[in-house]
Amino acid sequence: MHTKTITLAFLPLALTLVTHAQTLEVPEVNAEFRIDGIMDEPAWQKALVLELPYEIEPGENTPAPVRTTCYVVSTPHALLVGFEAFDPNPSEIRAHYSDRDRLFRDDFVGFYLDTFADKRRAYTFAVNPLGVQADGVRSETAGDEENYSFDFTWNAAGRITDSGYQVEIEIPFSALRFPAGNGAKKWGFGALRAYPRSVRRMLFSARLDRNNACTLCQLPEIQGFASARPGRSLEVNPTFAAAQSQTRKELDQPTMSQPSRRGDGGLSLLWGVTPNLSLAATLNPDFSQVEADAAQLSVNRTFALFYPE
């Protein structure tokens, strides 16, 4: 009976300790950062420091083969994340200048950011050692899918060093969506690193249980960002298409008719009213782009658009 009483009294305490251990405080500083891949600003010394001690692919929470340190700090206007990726053989680092979202065969570092802390979706950001960016949204409700068609406005830089490489990342709060309000905010956060050599290894800042299909459910939470305010994005896309046609009465007649010209304009609008609500409107839309068919260009074509049914 005595043993049972101790177990019941101790269990809630243990659960509370685990919960608090998963929430990490991110300092806020009033400082300017130059995003150049050189973490020499004094404000980096105040950052939250995270290690990436686990290999999650192909190993399952085995010790990481190389050391990676992640630094997280914020200003009133942006989230700053820095990485020191150590490498025993820097000459083997894989890095190429490439298009956006085309870096996944390279070495790279990045992180997941669940700004709603709902464990269902998160921003994903990645940068290779030369500063090439990739960004998208990971959705647990869409079968663990990462959609890189999203392009956010953010800044990053990287450089290869004698001991590996460094990356600096700046994410303006105006580029993110998160619940508005005063006071500290809790977001899910997980730092990652791709280490491709003879085997492509993925390193992570937290243990991930493969028996749990929800990766975002296992992210630790970071807390802070009291001064952060979500942006109210406004996207305006004007369109205009012009056409000119001429005819001849007979095939062998050299003279063409007077040109017939016409133009067609349109406008589309996307406004982020709140972090959870967007308003989309369009004026004179090109219906070949808004119908439930594959997108096709309708300008500079010598033939009409065709959709197989």
Side-chain angles (χ1 to χ4, degrees):
M1 189 65 178
H2 179 66
T3 303
K4 185 176 181 180
T5 303
I6 292 176
T7 302
L8 291 175
F10 181 75
L11 184 58
L13 176 60
L15 292 176
T16 302
L17 291 176
V18 171
T19 301
H20 285 292
Q22 295 295 310
T23 302
L24 307 170
E25 193 72 28
V26 176
E28 181 176 303
V29 297
N30 285 300
E32 294 292 331
F33 288 83
R34 182 180 179 184
I35 307 302
D36 54 6
I38 305 174
M39 299 173 59
D40 56 355
E41 290 84 0
W44 282 116
Q45 302 298 322
K46 301 179 181 180
L48 169 67
V49 180
L50 301 173
E51 297 292 333
L52 279 67
Y54 303 108
E55 178 187 314
I56 58 172
E57 293 180 11
E60 183 177 2
N61 300 318
T62 56
V66 289
R67 182 187 172 197
T68 313
T69 306
C70 174
Y71 302 85
V72 187
V73 69
S74 72
T75 69
H77 306 291
L79 170 68
L80 282 300
V81 181
F83 286 91
E84 285 188 289
F86 297 94
D87 197 304
N89 299 298
S91 61
E92 297 181 0
I93 293 174
R94 301 181 185 181
H96 303 84
Y97 288 109
S98 61
D99 293 337
R100 189 181 188 130
D101 302 332
R102 296 292 185 269
L103 55 79
F104 295 107
R105 294 188 178 183
D106 288 354
D107 284 73
F108 66 85
V109 291
F111 56 92
Y112 296 121
L113 187 66
D114 180 4
T115 54
F116 284 87
D118 58 7
K119 316 297 184 184
R120 296 190 304 167
R121 62 192 184 277
Y123 296 103
T124 175
F125 299 95
V127 180
N128 82 352
L130 299 178
V132 177
Q133 301 176 350
D135 51 1
V137 173
R138 181 188 181 101
S139 175
E140 297 289 354
T141 59
D144 199 25
E145 177 186 351
E146 294 185 7
N147 185 348
Y148 287 94
S149 65
F150 294 86
D151 289 327
F152 306 99
T153 302
W154 53 293
N155 194 13
R159 69 183 183 103
I160 298 176
T161 68
D162 293 336
S163 59
Y165 64 94
Q166 289 187 354
V167 165
E168 286 184 304
I169 300 171
E170 180 183 35
I171 313 290
F173 293 131
S174 59
L176 303 174
R177 290 193 173 188
F178 51 89
N182 298 322
K185 303 166 183 63
K186 288 184 179 181
W187 297 345
F189 182 88
L192 57 90
R193 175 184 178 181
Y195 182 65
R197 296 298 180 267
S198 59
V199 175
R200 185 179 185 272
R201 305 180 187 276
M202 292 298 298
L203 316 182
F204 206 65
S205 58
R207 296 174 61 90
L208 295 182
D209 183 1
R210 290 183 182 175
N211 293 320
N212 186 345
C214 178
T215 299
L216 300 184
C217 297
Q218 304 178 64
L219 295 184
E221 290 185 337
I222 56 177
Q223 178 175 284
F225 325 111
S227 302
R229 298 293 181 270
R232 296 291 184 265
S233 59
L234 178 64
E235 182 178 320
V236 180
N237 293 316
T239 61
F240 182 78
Q244 174 179 304
S245 62
Q246 291 179 277
T247 61
R248 64 177 68 181
K249 294 182 178 181
E250 301 293 339
L251 183 63
D252 58 351
Q253 183 177 350
T255 304
M256 303 287 291
S257 65
Q258 290 295 321
S260 172
R261 301 182 179 90
R262 60 185 178 86
D264 190 19
L267 182 71
S268 61
L269 171 73
L270 179 62
W271 176 33
V273 182
T274 71
N276 290 308
L277 178 65
S278 295
L279 173 65
T282 183
L283 175 66
N284 191 25
D286 178 357
F287 285 100
S288 68
Q289 301 297 319
V290 300
E291 293 286 348
D293 291 299
Q296 298 188 45
L297 295 177
S298 59
V299 296
N300 298 330
R301 296 289 188 183
T302 58
F303 50 84
L305 295 182
F306 172 75
Y307 296 96
E309 298 296 340

